[in-house]
Amino acid sequence: MRVIKYVFQPHGDDRGQLVALEEFKDIPFSIRRVYYMYDTVSNVTRGFHAHKSLQQILVCIHGSCKIRLDNGKEKKVIPLEKPYEGLYVPNAMWREMFEFSPDAVLMVLASDLYDESDYIRNYDEFLEHVKKCGKITALDGE
Ligand code: TYD
């Protein structure tokens, strides 16, 4: 499966814009959790983990930030700067979030509830995991 950057349909009219996201229609999984980051301190990098099974879609609904994805073989930096764009992050993908603008709000739609046992927070363990499960997600989509 490819890493995919979704462009959601804004419903614009003379009052402004509205984006609606529905599971299995705009989002390829059941949305079991939503969380968001804001007031991120300048120059901070967050993330530094992968998930064993969790799938996510990252939407920078205000401001901008950058996401570094690493499939264990190659890395790619994807800027998120539009409230109608979503970056699909599959399981077995190391991610780091950085260069948050002071006004950035990064919203994450997740396929499951918070579960610390699904996290891989050690990079060497992540590389081992990728080797074991044989999952290298191509990074050629955007
Ligand atoms: P953390 O995993 O450190 O965030 P990041 O990966 O962006 O660096 O999460 C910060 C804190 O928030 C940590 O104490 C765990 C908690 N947390 C929850 O309680 N629920 C959640 O859904 C998430 C993502 C984090």
Side-chain angles (χ1 to χ4, degrees), residues 51-52 114-120:
H51 285 280
K52 294 173 193 162
Y114 179 72
D115 174 9
E116 188 58 39
S117 71
D118 189 63
Y119 279 73
I120 304 169

Side-chain angles (χ1 to χ4, degrees), residues 29-83:
F29 51 76
S30 179
I31 302 160
R32 296 203 68 205
R33 176 167 51 117
V34 177
Y35 63 93
Y36 45 91
M37 283 151 256
Y38 62 98
D39 280 354
T40 306
V41 173
S42 93
N43 293 323
V44 152
T45 301
R46 304 193 63 133
F48 298 104
H49 65 258
H51 285 280
K52 294 173 193 162
S53 26
L54 192 75
Q55 303 173 71
Q56 296 176 311
I57 291 211
L58 277 53
V59 186
C60 195
I61 53 175
H62 196 251
S64 62
C65 65
K66 288 183 178 161
I67 316 295
R68 183 179 297 109
L69 294 183
D70 177 347
N71 64 7
K73 232 178 162 183
E74 47 174 338
K75 301 173 207 263
K76 191 164 181 178
V77 172
I78 296 110
L80 284 182
E81 44 204 19
K82 306 277 191 244

Side-chain angles (χ1 to χ4, degrees), residues 11-17:
H11 301 280
D13 57 28
D14 52 10
R15 298 169 297 173
Q17 303 294 332

